[in-house]
Structure formats: structure tokens, C-alpha cells
Amino acid sequence: MVSTTERYADVAERLAEAERGNAEQIRKSAELILGVIRADALVFTAGAGHSLAAVAETFYRAGGLACVYPVYHPELLPLHGAQHSTKTERRSGLAEEVLAERAPGPDDLLVVFSTSGVNPYPVELAAGARARGASVIAVSSAASVAAAPKRAATTLIEEASIVLDSHVRPGDSSYPPEAPRTAPLSTVINAFLWNLVLAEVVDLGAAQGVDIPLWRSSNVDGGDEANAALLAKYGARVPALR
């Protein structure tokens, strides 16, 4: 049986690998986001299934970016029907339906979280956003994409402007190492990569004199007041903030 210390070391190494392998892509992603902030535009974030956990991490979160528009369709959430959510993600055409309601434009950015990156919804979402002039960041796993059965004309990685590679093993599970069947890591690594990007955005903003709109916890002094100004700025453009 693996010890807690050994398991922690393994996860820590996976996080370090993700950071090392994406250093340049993290910088480029932060530059894109800084451009969005300068243009007073929006960062759209999207995913399906358990990748929606990463979307929740980007939205209305203490310390998170305020100019985020979460792209969401209830049929993609397993809590609303697990098997149906899988079928929905594989349905071609849903992405266009979602984009028809509100799509990113040339000044905006779309970030798509999808570890396997092969189902029609994330792939077509990225393609649709790029067709509208928006840049696309894919948070995916090259190894998982290569191993997954192709269900769309291309893959998320092929449609993206920038790829943040989570290096998650095919199937997501990480334990036991010799034959993984539990302890999935995509949620942890996706959140870590997003936080690395946010930290880089803050550093770039400080160096260039750009104020970064960040939420504060509503449970600290001054939090509600600071957030009220951000709600006034973005509430009309991001319906989920209402």
C-alpha cells in the first residue's frame, strides 16, 4: 500500500510537470487575457461533464478574474443526468446552439477545458469561436487526445490558438501507478494551471500598469464593497452574475 507521503509526492510531481511543460504557454495565455482586460472584453470559459468543475473555478470566485463569462448548458452537467450528459457532449450541433445565444467576438477569448478533447461539443465550440474571430485556449491532455476515439472532424488541440497540456494519462485515473483505475487528477491540474495563468496575469498587469479585475471574498472586510463595483461593471454583460 502506498504511503500518504509517497502519494503526495506523486501528485506534487504531476503538478510540477504541468508547470514546467507549460511555462511558455502560460505566459502567452496571460498575455491574451491581459489583452482582453485592456479591451474591456470578456474571457469565456467552457467545458462539459466533470470539466465543468474547472469552469466553476474560473467564475465568481474569491481571487478569480471578474471578466469571465461561463458558457453553460444544463444538459452537460452530470448532476442533471449522468448518462445524458455524456450523450449531449457527443451531439454535434449543440455548440452552435450555445454560441447562437452569446458568442465571443474578436476582442474576447474562449478557454475550453476538456481532457480528452475529442467530443463534438468542445471541438465545435472552439471552432465556432475562432470562426468569429476569438482566440481559443485549450486546457487538455495531448496523451489523452491521442488515445481517445475521435468523434469530431478535428480535436480541441487542433482548434486552439494555445494549448495548456495537463499531461493527464488516458482515462484520467492515476492510482495505482502500474494500472491506474482511481484518483483522477484532471480537476486538480486544471485548477492549478488556471491559477498559474492568473498569477502571471497579475504580474504582467503590475509591470504594465493594468488593473486586474479580481473578485474578493465576501467574507472579509471590504469584500462586498469591492465586488459591488465589479458587479456593476460586468453584471449586464454576464447574465450568470445576476
Side-chain angles (χ1 to χ4, degrees):
M1 183 173 68
V2 69
S3 70
T4 303
T5 301
E6 290 173 325
R7 183 66 192 137
Y8 171 80
D10 179 60
V11 173
E13 175 53 33
R14 297 297 184 84
L15 295 176
E17 177 187 25
E19 183 174 13
R20 288 193 302 267
N22 289 285
E24 182 63 15
Q25 291 84 353
I26 288 168
R27 184 188 61 79
K28 290 180 178 179
S29 297
E31 289 175 346
L32 281 181
I33 291 176
L34 198 64
V36 170
I37 294 169
R38 287 184 183 277
D40 192 22
L42 296 172
V43 176
F44 289 69
T45 60
H50 285 92
S51 290
L52 283 167
V55 176
E57 181 68 17
T58 69
F59 179 65
Y60 194 56
R61 197 220 190 288
L65 198 62
C67 55
V68 167
Y69 187 111
V71 179
Y72 175 70
H73 190 289
E75 293 183 43
L76 292 165
L77 182 65
L79 293 175
H80 294 164
Q83 294 179 64
H84 185 68
S85 71
T86 298
K87 293 176 182 177
T88 301
E89 185 181 0
R90 294 178 180 178
R91 175 159 63 87
S92 181
L94 177 62
E96 261 318 301
E97 293 176 26
V98 171
L99 290 172
E101 294 182 8
R102 179 70 166 86
D107 289 332
D108 300 313
L109 170 68
L110 173 66
V111 181
V112 183
F113 297 89
S114 176
T115 298
S116 61
V118 296
N119 285 325
Y121 177 71
V123 174
E124 293 174 8
L125 202 63
R130 291 194 66 184
R132 290 165 170 84
S135 295
V136 177
I137 296 173
V139 185
S140 189
S141 163
S144 295
V145 171
K150 304 302 180 286
R151 297 191 177 91
T154 58
T155 66
L156 176 59
I157 285 176
E158 292 175 273
E159 296 294 343
S161 313
I162 295 174
V163 177
L164 295 176
D165 190 349
S166 64
H167 299 281
V168 167
R169 295 175 178 175
D172 205 348
S173 296
S174 66
Y175 186 81
E178 64 277 8
R181 59 183 185 274
T182 191
L185 289 180
S186 62
T187 300
V188 174
I189 297 177
N190 285 346
F192 180 64
L193 285 171
W194 179 247
N195 283 331
L196 289 174
V197 171
L198 290 184
E200 185 71 14
V201 169
V202 168
D203 287 346
L204 286 176
Q208 299 178 29
V210 179
D211 185 37
I212 309 302
L214 298 171
W215 298 110
R216 292 181 60 185
S217 171
S218 58
N219 297 312
V220 299
D221 289 341
D224 285 340
E225 292 77 9
N227 291 341
L230 295 173
L231 288 168
K233 181 177 177 64
Y234 296 109
R237 287 185 280 166
V238 182
L241 287 173
R242 298 169 190 164

